[in-house]
Amino acid sequence: MKKFLSMLLLFGGFAYSQNGIPTDYFSNPLNINMVLAGNFGEMRANHFHSGLDIKTEQREGLPVYAPANGYVSRINVQHYGYGKALYILHPNGYTTVYGHLRSFAGDIEKYAKDTQYAKETFEIELFPEKTLLPVKKGDLIAYTGNTGGSGGPHLHFEIRDSSQRPMNPLLFGIEIPDSKKPIVSAVFAYPTGEDAHVNQSQNRTKLRLIKQKDGTYKTESLTAYGKIGFGITTFDQQDGASNKNGSYKINTQFNGTEKFEVLFNKFAFSETRYLNRYTDYNYYETNKSMVQKLFREPNNPLSIITKEDDNGYITVNDSLSSIYTIDVSDFKGNTMQVSIPIEGKKMEILDPKKVEKTADYIYADHATSITKGKFSIYIPANSLYEDTYLDIKDEGDILKFHEDVIPIHSNISITADISNYHESDKDKLYIGRLNYKGLPLYTSTTRNGDKLTAKIRTFGSYTVAIDTTPPTVKPVNFAEGKWISHQNFLKVKITDDLSGISSYRGTINGKFILMEYDYKKDVLTYNFNDNINLETENNFKLIVIDNVGNSATFEAKFFRKHP
Ligand SMILES: [Zn+2]
């Protein structure tokens, strides 16, 4: 049978790993060595990273080549998120994804641009038919860039299975040299049972790490009792780059028995926000470092947890000594081990669990409505992961809605009564979240008569804010009445002081022009190669509208020689 199987595989012409994943099907989509700025599964704010961030030598415009045959199944252009993104569906059912592109190439670029002009919009999402844009392995499909929510030039590369679940691209035989072991930078204990303690504390306890001669680590010896979980901060570095990427596998044992395993092979996008349950949200918000909790709490359905015994918790008995070990590995199998010696001892608790009791106790599995002054709050069932006391106060126009130290899984509504505002102002109001400077950042707000409603997923202070100032528009590389025959682009800077830019529309001589919006630079760019019928004398007009409907109109005349 085994022989028959391998014959079958050979016949297909591709090699497969043990779990049936093709290991030489996809080639490197770039013609430079793969160096990673980010890897699969690493922890980001509110999500696990779903692909590889491939470095592009700090440059944009590197050619991207199809890593296998297939066809363009989706083109997505957004201001935020993946920016310009391309999806290729391959005959074996996998989809490869390319994000933050500067542009597409050839027929793909032409198809995208034609559609943008036909729909008169920059943002588009298209699902071309199978026969429309076929690609062969090695075809030029796009150029790398820095579009959307990208913090520097790179290619975001993903491989998804036939259910659109992102998979670890390294499973497909992509070679990333890595000779360094992962680093475990901190270890924490979480006493969980009623009478459990760690060094006489019921609270999260940071353990001191001590390096051993053999390169492994040990923590200080603990006295502990009862049901306890552990958590770590970890990162891995590959050869040739200093970026701190995610570790691939974490495995724990208690007295030699396996307790818990986390493996970054695959997840579903519907799971990704449960990162806030898996990591210590409170610690992240206060220390900006992600602690992975090596135990499964209620309301954590994550499939990256691949093995667990008693949800990963250990139970320490009185007067018994035991040992807990954590093995952290990278994809190449380099492993760092940390061991935690534990003395079982039931002791008096000197640092009891800190719980701040308030009037508003929320049952996570119930829907709750709360009214404070002019604000009413609706918390749907399962917006929170656990039953919690919330600290909620209204101070006139400000709603203090706890602090951003507890995660919110799904939307909570905040409604504000605006009947005491001037009728003429009501259209310019929105609900804003106060940032650290006290500025009200726009949250998507809807108005229904005298009620404003915002849906929010972060605790903090919210206020009713007013924006009566229209956006500003400034030309970047031209001026009223000037000749600009030698310029390839027309650029303007657009900004809005409070509620932010909602939409814009540019025309030349009354005809729509495609302007690409880079929100990171506040710049709109039109490419003269788009070949709108220009005259010698041209009238450029741009209308920009902010999120509460304040509108600015900018007009300028420019001259251009044309053939
Ligand atoms: Zn990425």
Side-chain angles (χ1 to χ4, degrees):
M1 183 63 182
K2 206 171 180 187
K3 196 170 180 188
F4 172 72
L5 264 179
S6 52
M7 285 292 287
L8 203 69
L9 297 181
L10 278 174
F11 193 70
F14 295 105
Y16 292 81
S17 70
Q18 273 180 336
N19 38 15
I21 297 170
T23 52
D24 62 355
Y25 188 85
F26 296 115
S27 58
N28 181 348
L30 301 179
N31 60 6
I32 55 168
N33 282 338
M34 257 200 216
V35 182
L36 301 185
N39 67 355
F40 183 83
E42 69 178 36
M43 270 141 265
R44 307 263 174 101
N46 305 314
H47 70 285
F48 295 97
H49 190 235
S50 52
L52 303 179
D53 283 346
I54 307 171
K55 290 188 174 225
T56 53
E57 304 177 332
Q58 284 104 46
R59 292 187 290 144
E60 296 184 29
L62 269 56
V64 181
Y65 301 101
N69 293 350
Y71 70 93
V72 175
S73 57
R74 184 178 172 199
I75 296 170
N76 199 9
V77 178
Q78 304 170 282
H79 294 145
Y80 307 102
Y82 286 14
K84 292 188 191 178
L86 189 66
Y87 297 69
I88 295 179
L89 179 55
H90 302 278
N92 60 358
Y94 293 101
T95 299
T96 51
V97 184
Y98 312 82
H100 311 304
L101 300 167
R102 186 175 77 183
S103 67
F104 309 113
D107 291 347
I108 306 169
E109 174 70 3
K110 185 174 184 314
Y111 179 70
K113 223 162 216 190
D114 286 351
T115 310
Q116 287 171 313
Y117 270 97
K119 295 190 170 177
E120 303 200 343
T121 169
F122 173 54
E123 292 192 305
I124 48 168
E125 186 176 22
L126 306 171
F127 298 91
E129 291 293 316
K130 190 173 181 172
T131 51
L132 195 64
L133 295 166
V135 298
K136 285 257 170 284
K137 182 169 186 156
D139 280 357
L140 175 65
I141 52 173
Y143 295 93
T144 65
N146 186 28
T147 56
S150 164
H154 74 276
L155 176 68
H156 173 91
F157 175 64
E158 255 175 51
I159 302 178
R160 297 185 183 177
D161 72 6
S162 55
S163 306
Q164 293 301 309
R165 280 175 299 205
M167 296 184 66
N168 192 331
L170 301 187
L171 292 167
F172 292 79
I174 288 168
E175 189 57 28
I176 308 287
D178 185 350
S179 55
K180 291 179 234 172
K181 289 178 184 183
I183 302 290
V184 175
S185 43
V187 178
F188 301 85
Y190 293 84
T192 300
E194 279 277 286
D195 49 2
H197 74 85
V198 168
N199 297 338
Q200 297 182 283
S201 168
Q202 284 192 312
N203 295 298
R204 175 184 61 217
T205 303
K206 190 172 185 176
L207 310 179
R208 197 161 53 85
L209 279 163
I210 307 153
K211 191 170 187 176
Q212 304 301 108
K213 280 196 186 117
D214 63 359
T216 66
Y217 281 80
K218 213 175 175 174
T219 68
E220 60 192 308
S221 180
L222 311 181
T223 53
Y225 180 78
K227 191 175 171 184
I228 293 161
F230 292 90
I232 58 169
T233 57
T234 174
F235 62 87
D236 183 51
Q237 289 175 303
Q238 284 87 49
D239 299 350
S242 59
N243 299 70
K244 293 179 174 178
N245 298 331
S247 297
Y248 172 61
K249 179 176 156 182
I250 305 171
N251 188 283
T252 74
Q253 303 93 36
F254 185 49
N255 296 328
T257 302
E258 206 165 27
K259 290 303 288 184
F260 201 69
E261 184 184 77
V262 180
L263 194 58
F264 291 99
N265 275 344
K266 174 163 85 173
F267 61 85
F269 285 105
S270 58
E271 299 177 68
T272 200
R273 195 175 173 86
Y274 287 102
L275 170 121
N276 290 337
R277 182 56 161 162
Y278 171 60
T279 59
D280 185 331
Y281 190 86
N282 177 298
Y283 190 85
Y284 177 65
E285 288 307 317
T286 42
N287 297 278
K288 291 295 151 208
S289 163
M290 295 262 192
V291 180
Q292 304 185 49
K293 294 182 287 192
L294 306 177
F295 48 92
R296 191 199 288 271
E297 294 168 293
N299 296 318
N300 173 1
L302 282 173
S303 63
I304 52 162
I305 298 169
T306 44
K307 287 177 189 170
E308 60 198 298
D309 172 48
D310 198 15
N311 298 315
Y313 293 104
I314 64 166
T315 301
V316 179
N317 297 315
D318 196 19
S319 16
L320 279 179
S321 47
S322 47
I323 188 131
Y324 178 83
T325 53
I326 306 167
D327 289 285
V328 184
S329 311
D330 60 24
F331 196 82
K332 286 285 189 191
N334 301 303
T335 301
M336 170 65 75
Q337 187 172 77
V338 178
S339 50
I340 304 172
I342 303 166
E343 283 304 317
K345 211 172 194 181
K346 188 163 186 178
M347 290 173 83
E348 186 195 350
I349 287 155
L350 300 179
D351 177 27
K353 189 145 245 132
K354 291 176 198 110
V355 179
E356 289 196 27
K357 295 194 176 168
T358 66
D360 295 299
Y361 188 70
I362 311 300
Y363 293 95
D365 62 353
H366 295 191
T368 308
S369 296
I370 297 167
T371 300
K372 301 272 172 182
K374 63 166 76 169
F375 294 97
S376 49
I377 299 164
Y378 178 69
I379 306 175
N382 302 313
S383 298
L384 304 178
Y385 296 119
E386 58 191 21
D387 301 347
T388 312
Y389 287 101
L390 293 182
D391 186 15
I392 313 173
K393 291 188 193 86
D394 74 297
E395 293 174 0
D397 267 1
I398 296 176
L399 174 72
K400 290 197 164 166
F401 190 30
H402 206 75
E403 269 183 83
D404 186 19
V405 290
I406 300 173
I408 299 175
H409 191 74
S410 43
N411 286 335
I412 289 176
S413 316
I414 295 178
T415 299
D417 185 310
I418 54 166
S419 51
N420 62 327
Y421 283 86
H422 282 293
E423 207 52 45
S424 57
D425 286 342
K426 285 179 183 172
D427 263 344
K428 304 295 176 199
L429 299 174
Y430 66 95
I431 295 179
R433 182 173 189 273
L434 295 177
N435 71 0
Y436 69 103
K437 287 179 180 165
L439 278 175
L441 302 182
Y442 181 78
T443 58
S444 184
T445 304
T446 53
R447 184 183 160 197
N448 186 357
D450 279 345
K451 306 273 188 218
L452 288 184
T453 300
K455 297 210 187 297
I456 60 116
R457 289 210 284 187
T458 314
F459 284 112
S461 292
Y462 289 86
T463 190
V464 175
I466 186 160
D467 180 0
T468 54
T469 314
T472 59
V473 179
K474 282 189 191 118
V476 172
N477 64 347
F478 64 100
E480 167 64 27
K482 295 282 195 228
W483 282 84
I484 51 168
S485 302
H486 298 294
Q487 296 213 37
N488 294 323
F489 301 100
L490 193 70
K491 284 180 191 278
V492 292
K493 188 162 183 147
I494 59 171
T495 53
D496 187 69
D497 63 337
L498 276 175
S499 66
I501 306 289
S502 160
S503 65
Y504 58 88
R505 182 184 161 83
T507 56
I508 292 179
N509 305 331
K511 286 202 192 83
F512 169 82
I513 54 167
L514 175 64
M515 300 201 82
E516 303 199 345
Y517 179 40
D518 180 346
Y519 77 91
K520 290 174 289 191
K521 292 184 179 149
D522 300 318
V523 167
L524 285 175
T525 304
Y526 165 65
N527 187 338
F528 280 112
N529 289 324
D530 286 359
N531 260 329
I532 295 305
N533 290 331
L534 293 185
E535 309 289 333
T536 305
E537 180 184 325
N538 298 284
N539 290 298
F540 169 62
K541 184 175 176 183
L542 176 68
I543 298 171
V544 186
I545 301 171
D546 71 15
N547 277 308
V548 294
N550 296 303
S551 169
T553 301
F554 173 87
E555 285 184 90
K557 191 193 297 177
F558 66 87
F559 295 91
R560 204 168 153 94
K561 227 166 30 192
H562 65 100

